[in-house]
Amino acid sequence: MTSTGIRLHAPAPGWAIAADVVVVGSGVAGLTAALRCEAAGLTTVVVTKARLDDGSTRWAQGGIAAALGEGDTPEQHLEDTLVAGAGLCDEEAVRILVTEGPDAVRRLIDTGAHFDESLEGGLELTREGGHHRRRIAHAGGDATGAEISRALVEAVRARGLRTIENALVLDLLTDAEGRTAGVTLHVMGEGQHDGVGAVHAPAVVLATGGMGQVFSATTNPSVSTGDGVALALRAGAEVSDLEFVQFHPTVLFLGADAEGQQPLVSEAVRGEGAHLVDGDGVRFMVGQHELAELAPRDIVAKGILRRMLAQGAEHMYLDARHFGADMWEHRFPTILAACRAHGIDPVTEPIPIAPAAHYASGGVRTDAHGRTTVPGLYACGEVACTGVHGANRLASNSLLEGLVYAERIAADIAAARAAGGLPARVPAPVPYPDRPVHPLLAPESRFAIQRIMAEGAGVLRSAESLAGAADRLQRLHNDARDALEENGKTAEPGVDTWEATNLLFVARVLVAAARLREETRGCHWREDRAERDDTHWRRHIVVRLKPDRSLAVRTTDTADFPPTRPTPRPQEQ
């Protein structure tokens, strides 16, 4: 795979450090990869956009799925995952997840994570949508992510791993042969360094999380601006299945004009018996699916939206008044506090909810060891597309995927070093360009992008809405490109402009893939193509960036998850 040569407009690095591995991101995937690499004797640096404990993992409420309960098996977990993935999961990737998952959770517990236990002393397991067994381990009632983050951060600090916090990673560095040679980054505020610098390393692990901020309303934190996907594309890597954005069915409704991160009401609330009802108190999911409120998330989100459209309502309700105050306070204290902070008491009234952007099932294309199509570049967690999630992520598989595939990446890097496939010396990166090669957008463009995506590429999509979104996004791109090419002008480099530019980039890719997929499948819902079409569309959409900044989009020949081969593909549009 040849690098595109495209980088963000940014100052040349003014400082540099060297390592064997640089891990970008500090969620469950990033910190697990870093700890395993360090344990293998590799000099490891962790770079994170905010504080170590401030990524998406800490916001995970429900828990982590694994076949840990009596009577449960990896095979049953596999079957539930394949059903949720709507025909596009890579079965081998899922099998790796469900068979290695239980031991990975046990190692997480050994690292220091404390999960809720039953009165008998074993793990207290719950159910979520799409699961036929109780297999969701949770912590602090509904604070699983926060507990996992705490344990991993403490382990990283105890082992003395070098970390660079408050750092936005800009671009991948490559050597003359196109191999990974590190990253450039900008340290903000209270970081260890000032301004733009570099970490030189022959292996880079992307664990940057999602891109939920591309939509107006999302459960993702403000840092989730698609930086990892954008970096990978500029480096020449392929991304896959980016059209499959999961919208969480039950997000606290704060008003039709609410923007930014919205409070999540975990699926575990429904797993414990809460009901979805309309304004008249009718349970509208009963009869729509055998699991009713616990159907896979795409089915529940569609059921909610259909009811909203039929009744002309802005939201539906989640009714858990029958839990009582004691259960709310002990099982779901985080959600209870969030609701009460917004003037809603779920002990005495139903919770107004509506779907919002939640999770990217697609991402940077990897193989079973986390390797991308760029030598030396790895990806895991939400930024990656391992083939596990297919067209729709099964609830609580994300934390498990981060654990399992981060461990596999660390093992692969260590094995490559032992076999001589990973250079012992840091390769010399290609010199940084003297002039800007990628135009930057003004900070206010972020809000324009979010509105475009919410209106044209949200839960409900059509050929018309997607075409409109594509046209408006292309105009933003063209304006920035023309200003750069005609008079050398671009927005001033800075965090706001880099984030806006990354958001536009991933939005264009998402819409291009969504336009091409002329069917409804999993969490991709086309109003004008309401049926699933296995004959023509049980296959993947792969996108890469060309050196002229245009997108090459192709479909695979089958539903098999393609290998990460560093060669161009035919049938690109």
Side-chain angles (χ1 to χ4, degrees):
M1 177 67 68
T2 302
S3 173
T4 65
I6 299 172
R7 291 174 177 165
L8 289 172
H9 175 33
W15 54 268
I17 60 174
D20 294 324
V21 185
V22 56
V23 177
V24 186
S26 61
V28 62
L31 294 188
T32 298
L35 287 166
R36 297 294 180 266
C37 284
E38 186 270 345
L42 298 164
T43 303
T44 305
V45 174
V46 177
V47 176
T48 187
K49 195 172 179 181
R51 304 293 293 177
L52 274 183
D53 60 353
D54 212 18
S56 293
T57 291
R58 65 174 290 207
W59 298 100
Q61 295 175 345
I64 185 168
L68 295 162
E70 184 177 353
D72 197 6
T73 65
E75 199 66 28
Q76 294 176 70
H77 190 182
L78 180 140
E79 182 60 30
D80 285 346
T81 301
L82 295 180
V83 169
L88 282 185
C89 294
D90 178 73
E91 186 167 339
E92 181 55 31
V94 179
R95 193 170 297 280
I96 288 169
L97 179 84
V98 300
T99 55
E100 297 182 10
D103 283 343
V105 173
R106 295 184 184 102
R107 284 189 288 274
L108 179 62
I109 292 171
D110 290 341
T111 301
H114 301 292
F115 290 93
D116 296 337
E117 297 183 349
S118 64
L119 294 176
E120 292 75 29
L123 287 176
E124 184 180 65
L125 303 174
T126 189
R127 279 181 68 195
E128 292 185 358
H131 293 273
H132 284 78
R133 291 271 187 180
R134 283 184 170 263
R135 65 169 65 99
I136 316 299
H138 50 83
D142 58 356
T144 310
E147 170 57 19
I148 290 173
S149 180
R150 179 205 62 77
L152 292 173
V153 168
E154 286 189 6
V156 164
R157 288 175 173 157
R159 296 183 191 181
L161 268 72
R162 185 165 189 174
T163 61
I164 304 176
E165 298 179 281
N166 303 303
L168 171 62
V169 168
L170 302 174
D171 280 301
L172 189 75
L173 293 171
T174 54
D175 64 16
E177 283 73 46
R179 281 193 54 89
T180 293
V183 293
T184 56
L185 63 154
H186 173 77
V187 180
M188 305 169 277
E190 300 176 358
Q192 298 176 18
H193 303 275
D194 293 321
V196 174
V199 180
H200 295 161
V204 171
V205 181
L206 291 180
T208 52
M211 55 183 189
Q213 288 292 325
V214 78
F215 293 96
S216 295
T218 178
T219 62
N220 289 191
S222 61
V223 295
S224 298
T225 51
D227 307 319
V229 171
L231 175 150
L233 280 163
R234 288 192 296 271
E238 292 183 345
V239 302
S240 184
D241 300 345
L242 220 62
E243 70 273 27
F244 295 120
V245 177
Q246 187 178 84
F247 288 78
H248 199 287
T250 54
V251 176
L252 184 63
F253 181 75
L254 301 180
D257 297 326
E259 294 183 338
Q261 185 178 10
Q262 315 283 303
L264 176 67
V265 182
S266 170
E267 199 155 322
V269 178
R270 281 174 281 139
E272 296 293 349
H275 303 145
L276 284 167
V277 298
D278 61 18
D280 297 321
V282 176
R283 288 182 63 191
F284 55 87
M285 284 303 299
V286 175
Q288 290 197 40
H289 189 276
E290 62 169 333
L291 296 176
E293 284 93 352
L294 285 177
R297 287 178 177 176
D298 62 306
I299 294 172
V300 178
K302 291 169 188 175
I304 291 170
L305 280 169
R306 287 192 184 104
R307 198 69 164 192
M308 287 166 57
L309 291 170
Q311 297 187 345
E314 291 184 323
H315 60 83
M316 289 288 110
Y317 294 93
L318 187 65
D319 191 353
R321 290 175 290 180
H322 53 286
F323 284 6
D326 186 65
M327 181 172 177
W328 268 111
E329 290 167 1
H330 290 89
R331 179 67 177 85
F332 300 111
T334 306
I335 299 170
L336 177 64
C339 288
R340 284 177 170 169
H342 291 281
I344 299 153
D345 189 349
V347 176
T348 60
E349 59 186 318
I351 305 168
I353 52 89
H358 182 57
Y359 192 89
S361 293
V364 183
R365 202 161 70 76
T366 74
D367 65 9
H369 301 281
R371 296 177 291 215
T372 74
T373 52
V374 174
L377 178 65
Y378 296 78
C380 57
E382 191 174 354
V383 70
C385 184
T386 62
V388 160
H389 303 308
N392 187 33
R393 176 180 66 99
L394 180 66
S396 287
N397 268 356
S398 52
L399 291 174
L400 190 70
E401 184 197 31
L403 272 181
V404 168
Y405 281 88
E407 291 188 341
R408 292 179 73 82
I409 285 173
D412 190 77
I413 295 174
R417 166 57 63 84
L422 186 71
R425 290 175 53 192
V426 177
V430 172
Y432 207 73
D434 294 329
R435 61 182 298 273
V437 291
H438 197 74
L440 300 181
L441 274 69
E444 57 268 23
S445 299
R446 176 176 183 144
F447 305 105
I449 295 164
Q450 291 173 332
R451 286 191 292 270
I452 291 168
M453 293 298 288
E455 293 167 6
V459 182
L460 292 176
R461 304 168 180 178
S462 67
E464 182 180 4
S465 75
L466 289 166
D471 182 63
R472 294 166 69 189
L473 292 172
Q474 190 64 38
R475 286 202 297 271
L476 287 174
H477 171 75
N478 290 347
D479 289 346
R481 179 201 61 196
D482 293 346
L484 176 64
E485 293 180 353
E486 292 172 7
N487 54 34
K489 290 185 177 180
T490 187
E492 189 69 22
V495 173
D496 290 344
T497 56
W498 289 320
E499 286 187 334
T501 302
N502 285 339
L503 283 171
L504 177 61
F505 201 177
V506 296
R508 290 175 60 220
V509 176
L510 192 162
V511 170
R515 293 183 73 185
L516 187 58
R517 183 170 291 282
E518 295 180 337
E519 64 161 355
T520 287
R521 181 184 297 272
C523 51
H524 176 69
W525 188 8
R526 286 279 297 258
E527 291 180 281
D528 54 340
R529 302 278 184 169
E531 301 301 320
R532 173 170 154 177
D533 181 0
D534 279 350
T535 301
H536 299 98
W537 285 109
R538 191 163 175 255
R539 58 194 66 198
H540 304 274
I541 295 175
V542 179
V543 182
R544 67 177 178 83
L545 182 67
K546 297 179 182 179
D548 66 359
R549 303 191 192 100
S550 65
L551 300 175
V553 185
R554 68 178 178 89
T555 59
T556 58
D557 294 329
T558 69
D560 294 336
F561 204 65
T564 52
R565 293 172 294 180
T567 54
R569 299 290 200 280
Q571 299 177 327
E572 291 180 331
Q573 301 179 0

